[in-house]
């Protein structure tokens, strides 16, 4: 049986261009911080990859390479020059782990120049797009810093212009275990010593960083925007519509079957999908995100996530639609 993978919001397979770049990086085996010729060669490759990442993302500020989005969030929220952390209610669990004492934003929560406000660009469970750049423009008048988790938008949408942004390579066809914290200016963070201009500890993973740069530069998808629109249109009536949404993450609600039953049935039929984000899809608890969006308990219990990636084909989407329609 040929399986069809539709869980790219959890992780996407490595692009061949990224694999080739990683192989080149493995041949540059020296530590980029070493002063000898081998180290200088590795350092040059690291800095070239940094500039490529900035150019591919359209980012004019600074880039700190990390082990992934979780570490980038921990750096941005943990070391920002501000004493208060406020986060939106629909953030990924990694945000709450990075800022366990953060306030959840509500209309009566004041934001000021001593605040870091975390708000995601694209929600990983529903595909909802937040107007982050507009929010940052308004909050700029208060002096609050805006950090946006762009794990689900980097390499797919233009990044919002914010103070800090978080990206994760394995969401867009780069390797697992590498990401970045993008900053408007290093002065936003308290330094900690070590590597990455003194703002992150640990030797840089040069092969993975080179793979990340190559993946960002290889932005082609197997499906067109029109084909992805046709996919969502074919599922009309079952799509959970929550504001403006991307075309590569779709939350689907079945009329009667629970999400857990759907995952089992679809997996047995050769389809890999999920219920919510990967870190919580194995639980039976209601999604905290769907609860924050106001989705009622019964509907949330019957909702799964289908997410597309760079190598998803139109034929695979047609096959899923046929199977989904038969699950009645």
């Amino acid at each position: 049986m040929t399986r069809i993978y539709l869980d790219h919001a959890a992780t996407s397979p490595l692009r061949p261009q990224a694999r080739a770049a990683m192989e080149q990086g493995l041949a540059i085996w020296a530590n980029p911080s070493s002063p000898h010729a081998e180290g200088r060669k590795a350092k040059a490759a690291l800095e070239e990859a940094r500039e490529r990442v900035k150019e591919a993302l359209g980012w004019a500020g600074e880039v700190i390479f990390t082990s992934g989005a979780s570490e980038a969030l921990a750096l941005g929220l943990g070391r920002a020059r501000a004493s208060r952390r406020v986060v939106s209610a629909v953030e990924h669990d990694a945000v709450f782990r990075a800022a366990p004492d953060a306030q959840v934003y509500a209309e009566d929560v004041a934001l000021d120049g001593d605040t870091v406000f975390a708000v995601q660009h694209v929600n990983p469970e529903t595909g909802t797009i937040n107007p982050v750049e507009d929010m940052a423009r308004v909050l700029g008048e208060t002096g609050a810093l805006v950090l946006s988790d762009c794990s689900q938008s980097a390499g797919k949408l233009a990044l919002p212009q914010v103070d800090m942004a978080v990206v994760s390579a394995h969401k867009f066809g780069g390797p697992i275990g590498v990401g970045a914290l993008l900053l408007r200016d290093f002065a936003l963070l308290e330094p900690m010593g070590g590597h990455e201009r003194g703002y992150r500890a640990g030797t840089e993973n040069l092969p993975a960083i080179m793979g990340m740069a190559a993946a960002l530069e290889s932005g082609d998808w197997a499906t067109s925007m029109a084909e992805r629109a046709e996919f969502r249109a074919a599922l009309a009536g079952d799509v959970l519509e929550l504001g403006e949404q991307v075309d590569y993450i779709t939350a689907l609600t079945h009329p009667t079957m629970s999400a857990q039953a759907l995952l089992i049935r679809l997996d047995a039929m050769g389809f890999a999908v999920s219920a919510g984000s990967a870190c919580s899809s194995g639980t039976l608890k209601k999604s905290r995100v769907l609860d924050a969006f106001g989705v009622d308990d019964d509907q949330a219990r019957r909702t799964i996530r289908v997410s597309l990636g760079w190598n998803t084909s139109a034929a695979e989407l047609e096959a899923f639609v046929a199977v989904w329609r038969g699950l009645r």
Side-chain angles (χ1 to χ4, degrees):
M1 177 177 63
T2 300
R3 292 189 58 81
I4 295 177
Y5 183 79
L6 296 173
D7 195 20
H8 291 263
T11 196
S12 217
L14 191 65
R15 287 178 178 266
Q17 298 91 337
R19 184 185 300 275
M22 292 179 72
E23 291 174 353
Q24 293 175 3
L26 290 170
I28 310 172
W29 44 264
N31 190 320
S33 297
S34 297
H36 45 61
E38 289 83 358
R40 295 196 303 273
K41 182 177 181 180
K43 180 70 170 179
L46 174 67
E47 295 309 319
E48 180 188 19
R50 196 187 310 275
E51 292 304 313
R52 290 166 59 196
V53 166
K54 289 169 64 173
E55 183 175 356
L57 291 173
W59 187 259
E62 309 293 346
V63 172
I64 298 174
F65 289 118
T66 66
S67 61
S70 292
E71 185 191 1
L73 288 165
L75 282 177
L77 290 170
R79 307 199 68 82
R81 294 181 185 271
S83 62
R84 297 176 61 231
R85 273 72 179 147
V86 178
V87 304
S88 86
V90 296
E91 296 302 300
H92 190 279
D93 286 346
V95 171
F96 289 91
R97 289 194 296 268
D101 298 326
Q103 280 182 279
V104 175
Y105 179 76
E107 289 185 3
D108 60 347
V109 175
L111 301 176
D112 55 30
D114 197 31
T115 304
V116 179
F117 177 51
V119 55
Q120 65 196 193
H121 191 195
V122 171
N123 185 271
E125 295 189 34
T126 66
T128 302
I129 305 171
N130 282 317
V132 174
E133 191 159 326
D134 292 340
M135 297 166 74
R137 192 176 299 113
V138 172
L139 289 175
E141 299 177 3
T142 71
L145 300 178
V146 176
L147 179 152
S148 185
D149 180 359
C150 298
S151 298
Q152 298 295 343
S153 60
K156 302 163 187 173
L157 304 179
L159 295 189
Q161 294 304 303
V162 290
D163 297 296
M164 294 181 278
V166 168
V167 303
S168 178
H170 73 105
K171 305 296 188 179
F172 51 74
I176 292 173
V178 66
L181 175 65
L182 314 182
L183 302 111
R184 175 171 49 79
D185 192 287
F186 281 128
L188 299 178
L189 296 186
E190 294 282 356
M192 63 187 301
H195 301 75
E196 291 297 279
R197 274 71 165 180
Y199 290 91
R200 188 247 180 185
T203 301
E204 295 91 348
N205 185 345
L206 180 58
I209 289 168
M210 292 175 66
M212 175 180 176
L216 280 171
E217 292 169 340
S218 309
D220 292 342
W221 281 44
T223 53
S224 65
M225 291 179 62
E227 288 168 332
R228 297 192 292 274
E230 288 174 10
F231 173 67
R232 287 176 65 89
L235 298 168
D238 293 335
V239 175
L240 185 59
E241 302 281 1
L242 295 169
E244 182 184 3
Q245 293 173 296
V246 295
D247 61 7
Y248 51 86
I249 298 176
T250 301
L252 290 174
T253 301
H254 192 273
T256 58
M257 293 178 64
S258 71
Q260 294 300 317
L262 287 165
L263 294 187
I264 293 170
R265 288 280 297 276
L266 287 166
D267 188 45
M269 299 170 77
F271 293 88
V273 297
S274 68
S277 60
C279 60
S280 61
S281 61
T283 72
L284 295 176
K285 296 187 298 182
K286 179 185 178 183
S287 162
R288 174 184 53 75
V289 168
L290 295 184
D291 193 43
F293 270 117
V295 178
D296 67 64
D297 290 355
D298 180 60
Q299 187 175 14
R301 184 184 64 83
R302 296 179 282 107
T303 299
I304 65 169
R305 178 187 70 184
V306 177
S307 51
L308 288 52
W310 64 271
N311 65 340
T312 305
S313 69
E316 289 174 328
L317 298 183
E318 291 172 4
F320 178 83
V321 170
V323 166
W324 179 259
R325 287 172 172 166
L327 292 174
R328 292 294 189 271

